Amino acid sequence: MDSTIYDSIILTKTSEKIPVLKNGRTIESRYNPESEAEKTITLNKLCETDKILLILGTGSGILIKEIIKKFPDVTIIAVEYSISDINFLRQIESFSEIYSNKNVIFSDIQSIQENLVKYYNPALYGNLKIIPNTAWIEEVRKQGINIQERIQDAVKIISADYSVQAHFGKIWQKNILLNLKLASDLLNNAEKNSIQNIQNEKKAVIIGAGPSVDSKIEYLKKERNKLILISTDTAFQILTRNGIEPDFAVSLDGQLVSQNHFYNAHSSHTVFLLSLTSQNSAARKIVSSGNKIQFFSTSHPLELFAKNNGYKFPSFYSGSGTVTIAALDFALQAGFKNLQIIGADFSYHNGKAYAKGTYLDSLYSLNSNRIHTSEHQFCSLMFRTELKTADESSLSENKEHQNRNLYPAQKIFTTQVLESYRHSLENYLELQGIQFTKNNFDYELTCLKNNKLELSWNYKADFNKFKDSVCNTLKSSIENKDFHENIFFVLPYIAYLRTKNQKKECNVDFESLIKLAYTNIVGYNI
């Protein structure tokens, strides 16, 4: 494609400079572009509640200049065809003026998806309003570019992330605050809860809860003394009900139901590694049972705020929120070089969603009857989203590896979500430079580089001081009406509040949402 779509600059009847396309047309009025800009603002019904705009085709910048005059606090993502075009337009005074405005973000078409994902946060800004220049879009289309498609792809990514925040925002914030308080209390017994002498010369086995784990129980029992077992939360009961105590158990789940994973977490040598977003009742259950517990952070902004206020937790990467990846990241940071992942099936087979022994087994068996069997309930769980047949290549790199006695001609199903988890794990392995082979549902890993980090849980933090710091930051933001710089840590909760108010069909401005978030945190009388 051409590197530029503009050719020259002319003067309008009102002596304003505007650019001319290579085809001789202009995307702005040759007579009075300022008057045209006013009409565009009116037609698009711009108002104070519009906090972010996407403008396709900036031209001379007169439209953006007029918008900023009326709404000085609005954030604008301004799109031009290429970087060459942006540099060309800087010759025009009105464009040069908006180019230096900190609220205007310039992007070429190639970077539009990246910049939308980077700068558009629905929790902060609310709805994105798009102002297209028809003549500009038509010229871009002639260059073989479908800009609408690129915008839609970006919005899909943003929407998926926002949906998760809107659903879990309140749960995450509550759990983080309660878990930080619990972590401060555990400082008084730091020696009991410390992790020492991880035997990383042994083979580490990360254990998921997929149906294939049923066939691995005897292997784990036989080789127990040679292995370090790192269980995911759902797999914990599977192991303990089979008389196997894992060395570590990892959990990310912030939902209340996750405490069911640890009902039989009686005093043992298992060390529980919980994300700060994990369900606090599960954490308290583990502590009351006499087990060691340590928290870690992932990527929630409130965790980062805590890190900057005295809480120094290790950070474990979790991909798209996958506990298997978090467990693996811990193993790598602990220095293990010989690793295996079992039970990360990312599929349903043998008519089962999980291996035997999860809390769902007990729950479904308790509620089963002749008409509504436990198998029927598991099927309801599996069919809650559309199923598709799993690609056999995703199970093994070599068909000779597939044990047909163990998995004879079975139907293996997966979903789009499960496939995304599998891709997230395998992308992580590739990024880490870890060689892996797949045998049925198992991953055999070899780590060639030294990833060992200092997994330190040494921190000195007063929860009340931390809470005061959070409240003072929000209070200052409200008083100064500064909602862009310092309140990032509360945005997932704001996403929850926005969705909640949208369901009530009431439009709440961002300042009111910040006040609601402030009231919520002040209300934590822990």
Side-chain angles (χ1 to χ4, degrees), residues 1-224:
M1 67 180 188
D2 292 340
S3 61
T4 179
I5 60 174
Y6 293 112
D7 178 67
S8 59
I9 297 171
I10 63 170
L11 286 175
T12 67
K13 296 293 184 181
T14 53
S15 299
E16 294 286 349
K17 290 181 179 180
I18 62 171
V20 181
L21 297 169
K22 284 185 175 181
N23 62 14
R25 297 177 61 191
T26 61
I27 66 172
E28 296 161 281
S29 169
R30 292 175 183 246
Y31 180 72
N32 191 338
E34 289 179 327
S35 176
E36 182 185 51
E38 288 284 347
K39 291 178 182 177
T40 300
I41 292 171
T42 303
L43 286 172
N44 285 277
K45 299 179 180 179
L46 298 188
C47 58
E48 292 287 348
T49 57
D50 294 317
K51 298 302 181 184
I52 186 166
L53 306 174
L54 176 65
I55 296 183
L56 305 177
T58 62
S60 65
I62 289 174
L63 172 61
I64 295 177
K65 184 178 175 181
E66 292 301 314
I67 291 173
I68 292 172
K69 278 184 184 178
K70 289 181 176 293
F71 313 109
D73 294 328
V74 70
T75 295
I76 296 173
I77 301 176
V79 182
E80 266 302 331
Y81 179 72
S82 66
I83 297 298
S84 297
D85 281 328
I86 293 173
N87 291 331
F88 174 81
L89 294 170
R90 289 177 68 184
Q91 301 175 67
I92 302 172
E93 286 82 356
S94 54
F95 187 94
S96 182
E97 184 179 333
I98 64 168
Y99 189 81
S100 60
N101 190 301
K102 67 177 183 178
N103 288 349
V104 183
I105 301 154
F106 285 91
S107 174
D108 64 340
I109 286 176
Q110 297 298 329
S111 305
I112 188 170
Q113 180 172 318
E114 176 187 345
N115 285 323
L116 273 173
V117 172
K118 181 177 180 181
Y119 293 107
Y120 174 41
N121 188 319
L124 179 63
Y125 294 113
N127 293 331
L128 173 71
K129 182 168 282 188
I130 302 175
I131 302 178
N133 185 297
T134 305
W136 183 87
I137 289 176
E138 183 180 332
E139 184 61 26
V140 167
R141 189 180 292 115
K142 289 178 182 178
Q143 304 298 323
I145 294 174
N146 188 335
I147 193 168
Q148 288 92 339
E149 191 175 280
R150 297 190 181 201
I151 294 171
Q152 287 170 3
D153 289 342
V155 169
K156 284 179 184 177
I157 296 170
I158 295 166
S159 297
D161 182 56
Y162 182 70
S163 295
V164 174
Q165 291 187 38
H167 183 75
F168 290 104
K170 181 180 181 181
I171 300 171
W172 285 340
Q173 179 163 296
K174 178 181 179 181
N175 285 333
I176 290 173
L177 292 170
L178 292 172
N179 285 332
L180 287 172
K181 174 63 169 62
L182 179 59
S184 293
D185 293 342
L186 292 175
L187 278 174
N188 298 325
N189 205 356
E191 184 176 345
K192 179 183 177 183
N193 286 284
S194 65
I195 299 177
Q196 298 176 347
N197 302 321
I198 298 176
Q199 296 174 291
N200 55 27
E201 71 282 355
K202 290 186 176 183
K203 182 177 185 177
V205 181
I206 291 93
I207 306 161
S212 66
V213 170
D214 289 339
S215 66
K216 299 293 181 181
I217 296 299
E218 291 306 314
Y219 157 70
L220 295 175
K221 287 182 176 180
K222 182 179 179 181
E223 301 294 323
R224 179 66 186 92

Side-chain angles (χ1 to χ4, degrees), residues 197 248 379:
N197 302 321
F248 300 95
C379 284

Side-chain angles (χ1 to χ4, degrees), residues 486-518:
N486 301 319
I487 48 77
F488 67 96
F489 57 86
V490 81
L491 290 182
Y493 183 67
I494 296 293
Y496 159 79
L497 290 176
R498 278 198 187 278
T499 304
K500 180 182 177 182
N501 284 286
Q502 284 172 358
K503 289 178 179 178
K504 293 179 179 179
E505 297 184 351
C506 57
N507 187 22
V508 181
D509 62 90
F510 190 73
E511 182 176 352
S512 298
L513 294 174
I514 288 290
K515 289 178 180 178
L516 285 172
Y518 173 73

